[in-house]
Amino acid sequence: MTFRSFAIGLTLAFGIAWMAVVVVPFFSMRDVKPVAFDEAADGKTGIYFPKRTGRVANGAEVYASNGCYLCHTQVVRTTDAGNDLGRADWGGNKTDETRGDTRRESNVFDYQGEKFAQIGVSRLGPDLSNIGLRVQNYVKESNGDPKTWLYLHLYNPRLDPKLSTSKCPSLPFLFEDKAITGQTPVAALAVPTKEGRAIVPTPEAESLVSYLLSLKRDDALPKAINPAPAAKPAAAPAAAPKG
Ligand code: HEC
């Protein structure tokens, strides 16, 4: 092999990958236009607006600075990339009370309000695209507070008997061990502490929990950007055979 063909081969091998993974997605996603609902396909008109509430920008910073993205993805893969819709409650609720199966693939609007889309590096832990709804489901039966579940998980995931061998790191530095005089603060975690002290979340923990709770996939999308909903709408009943 001559040096010339080696250099051309090397440039092509990296160049094609760079075009496909960096250049094409950049130009197709840098200026996304709003998507309209289609009367015929969606049964309503108007523009789709991704709703998201919480301390998204601040929380995303705490999420990034603590390396959550190293073990958790935030992308429910599209069908052509190895579909994730088979996983219960990842891209929506598998059994939503009002809408049935709402699972769907991720789309570019899911990262609204974030400077950086935290798609993640590996999946040592489960995908967190829909963690807000998942935690709501966990605490539904016991009538618990999703925030409390998340604070305890962040403080030490292994305190939950079901997760006693969890690989998710504890983040005690996101909490303050405070001396209390008088009443115990409402936000104090129900964990063993020394007499006269309480563990309370810092503002960073509050932002992170607010961010995690904003991760919900519960909005109805226009068909145009939801090509593969988990459950196809119920088919019209078949006509009775004649004769
Ligand atoms: C070393 C890898 C690792 C890192 C880093 C990590 N996690 Fe986890 N996480 C896991 C694993 C593994 C699980 C699976 C359940 C378990 O074992 O607790 C998990 C579970 C979770 C869950 C519960 C998910 C569910 O579906 O029930 C939440 C919420 C969570 N992690 C949040 C975070 C946040 C927030 C951060 C960053 C501060 C973080 N994790 C960093 C590995 C990690």
Side-chain angles (χ1 to χ4, degrees), residues 149-157 169-172 174-175 205 208-209 212:
W149 191 96
L150 281 167
Y151 282 136
L152 276 175
H153 184 90
L154 294 177
Y155 181 70
N156 182 358
S170 318
L171 307 165
L174 291 184
F175 297 84
L208 181 55
V209 164
L212 292 170

Side-chain angles (χ1 to χ4, degrees), residues 124-160:
L124 216 71
D127 185 274
L128 297 182
S129 302
N130 190 43
I131 189 64
L133 283 190
R134 252 196 338 267
V135 175
Q136 269 179 14
N137 296 343
Y138 295 161
V139 299
K140 202 179 263 168
E141 248 171 50
S142 61
N143 240 341
D145 181 4
K147 270 193 198 162
T148 312
W149 191 96
L150 281 167
Y151 282 136
L152 276 175
H153 184 90
L154 294 177
Y155 181 70
N156 182 358
R158 284 153 295 279
L159 290 174
D160 181 340

